[in-house]
Amino acid sequence: MKEQEEDFANFYLIKNDTGDILGRINLVDIDRINRTAEIGFRIGTKYGGQGIGSRALEILLDTDLRLRQIHGKTTTVNGASQKILTKNGFQEVRVGAETFEMNGQDMSFVYYLWESRTK
């Protein structure tokens, strides 16, 4: 919460019309001088595949963020996050060379970049 108070991060809950928490979306490592940040999001398991993450990111990007670039990353096995990012205008920048194992799967990070049209 201190990061949010100091304008280095913005944390949001994703809720439905009845107030149930469906997930979260965050902007972290906000650099107001260079106007950059990193995006992170997670949707609850039972809400996946319903377009909630994509819609939340769309709404966030449609606000006056005053950011020039937003960096994102996911893993090579997380097709859902890759789809959410690309659907909302993020471009794949590169796939990391380093591989690691998580939950019994080998994977690498995939890095994305969103750039404001108004710069």
Side-chain angles (χ1 to χ4, degrees):
M1 299 315 302
K2 184 177 179 181
E3 288 179 3
Q4 186 159 304
E5 289 173 10
E6 294 175 354
D7 203 27
F8 294 123
N10 292 336
F11 303 105
Y12 306 95
L13 292 176
I14 303 167
K15 296 182 178 183
N16 63 12
D17 293 338
T18 60
D20 298 322
I21 297 173
L22 311 179
R24 57 113 180 125
I25 190 165
N26 309 321
L27 287 171
V28 297
D29 296 333
I30 298 172
D31 178 339
R32 294 293 177 192
I33 294 170
N34 293 305
R35 297 176 39 224
T36 63
E38 292 185 25
I39 189 79
F41 52 88
R42 181 172 300 274
I43 306 304
T45 304
K46 68 181 185 178
Y47 302 109
Q50 300 177 34
I52 294 166
S54 186
R55 180 70 177 128
L57 183 52
E58 178 184 10
I59 291 168
L60 180 66
L61 293 173
D62 201 33
T63 63
D64 185 13
L65 298 172
R66 298 181 186 193
L67 295 173
R68 185 176 56 81
Q69 294 181 329
I70 300 175
H71 300 267
K73 76 176 177 183
T74 188
T75 60
T76 49
V77 299
N78 191 340
S81 288
Q82 293 171 28
K83 184 177 179 180
I84 290 169
L85 290 168
T86 56
K87 184 176 180 180
N88 282 282
F90 282 74
Q91 300 295 314
E92 184 179 317
V93 176
R94 68 182 174 89
V95 176
E98 182 179 323
T99 61
F100 56 95
E101 183 182 326
M102 185 167 63
N103 300 326
Q105 289 184 291
D106 289 332
M107 60 190 77
S108 299
F109 283 117
V110 183
Y111 297 87
Y112 289 86
L113 179 65
W114 173 87
E115 294 190 271
S116 172
R117 293 183 194 112
T118 59
K119 298 194 183 198

